[in-house]
Amino acid sequence: MIARIFEGAGLATVMIALVREHAETVKPPRALYVPYPFGSPLGKPLDAEHQHRVLGSALALLKKDGPVLSDFDDPDHVEQRGAPAQFTEVAAQGGPATRSDVDPATETTRTRQYYTRWVEQHGGRTTVGVTRVPPARFRAIIRFLEDYASGNEVDMRERPADVSLGEWIRLCALDLRAMFSEAKMAMQPGVTSEAIDFWFWGETSTGDLLQRVKVRMEASDDDAIVGAAYGVAR
């Protein structure tokens, strides 16, 4: 949308797309699809030659009239994906093979031990924290989500007054997924982002809980809650 505004003012634009389906739907004036993970639109870090190839391919699209969507040609591309695997993708490939039967709250407590190790190994850096609820209280988040998935009218005292219930649930899901991801990297150094996604959605009780939460959100009469469901599980 911003690109179209710039184009209307006479400024040619080009974007790099990490999710091809989004670019196909939005149809920006010019877009280069790259098959890389979120956070790495130019490909492998510290590979200046390759990054210049990506930028050159993107800028070359400025010579074309839009809308145009081009795929970046990377013959050496291996194992990377443009977007995280979602629950529906895991289900489409056969679903969970060994779904954990551990209570999600207990599972979260156990996982937090590995998450703590990850944080210690990385000087306190973490992507957990959008809810501002400390990980030591994530059991409370789990219980809240379980009650919600069961159809109860629930809330958490930690939810700020200016944050809607749907947005709060989405933030809770983000914090849980971030903690589980960092814990998995501590459990299994070198694990790929794809393997983490398939593990979370395919094997953990917490991943299954988020899917059930999403189902209830989509059945809500509140459009804001329905819209937030997409950010909880897909």
Side-chain angles (χ1 to χ4, degrees):
M1 293 176 64
I2 294 177
R4 292 199 187 101
I5 292 174
F6 286 159
E7 293 272 340
L11 179 64
T13 63
V14 63
M15 63 172 288
I16 293 177
L18 293 171
V19 182
R20 200 179 200 287
E21 294 80 2
H22 289 178
E24 289 174 342
T25 301
V26 176
K27 292 182 174 59
R30 298 166 200 82
L32 177 71
Y33 166 69
V34 294
Y36 304 133
F38 289 149
S40 301
L42 301 183
K44 185 178 179 181
L46 306 180
D47 188 342
E49 181 179 353
H50 181 85
Q51 293 172 358
H52 278 95
R53 282 187 55 223
V54 176
L55 289 172
S57 296
L59 294 174
L61 296 180
L62 291 172
K63 300 177 182 178
K64 301 182 179 182
D65 294 329
V68 59
L69 173 60
S70 178
D71 292 334
F72 178 66
D73 181 20
D74 183 1
D76 300 321
H77 173 66
V78 178
E79 194 277 314
Q80 298 189 82
R81 57 187 297 117
Q86 301 296 332
F87 178 88
T88 49
E89 183 176 351
V90 175
Q93 296 192 24
T98 54
R99 171 74 71 188
S100 172
D101 59 358
V102 176
D103 170 74
T106 300
E107 180 182 68
T108 298
T109 298
R110 294 177 180 175
T111 301
R112 182 164 55 86
Q113 299 174 24
Y114 292 97
Y115 162 74
T116 300
R117 180 189 303 176
W118 169 265
V119 174
E120 291 173 348
Q121 292 171 344
H122 292 80
R125 295 190 300 276
T126 179
T127 57
V128 175
V130 292
T131 61
R132 299 183 183 274
V133 176
R137 276 192 43 77
F138 276 15
R139 288 179 68 95
I141 287 180
I142 291 292
R143 296 307 185 201
F144 159 69
L145 294 176
E146 286 181 320
D147 283 346
Y148 181 85
S150 297
N152 299 320
E153 297 301 320
V154 293
D155 204 343
M156 289 186 70
R157 66 173 184 270
E158 289 89 349
R159 179 172 70 88
D162 60 345
V163 175
S164 69
L165 179 62
E167 177 65 6
W168 177 250
I169 294 173
R170 187 185 72 84
L171 294 178
C172 288
L174 287 175
D175 261 356
L176 286 171
R177 290 190 62 181
M179 188 187 78
F180 271 74
S181 295
E182 293 175 8
K184 185 63 172 178
M185 288 187 284
M187 296 179 203
Q188 188 180 343
V191 65
T192 65
S193 59
E194 182 176 9
I196 293 173
D197 293 331
F198 273 77
W199 165 73
F200 181 78
W201 291 118
E203 299 182 29
T204 70
S205 297
T206 303
D208 180 66
L209 171 61
L210 291 185
Q211 173 63 15
R212 290 187 282 115
V213 167
K214 186 265 296 190
V215 170
R216 185 191 171 190
M217 294 177 76
E218 289 182 332
S220 174
D221 295 329
D222 186 331
D223 290 341
I225 290 179
V226 174
Y230 187 78
V232 172
R234 302 199 288 278

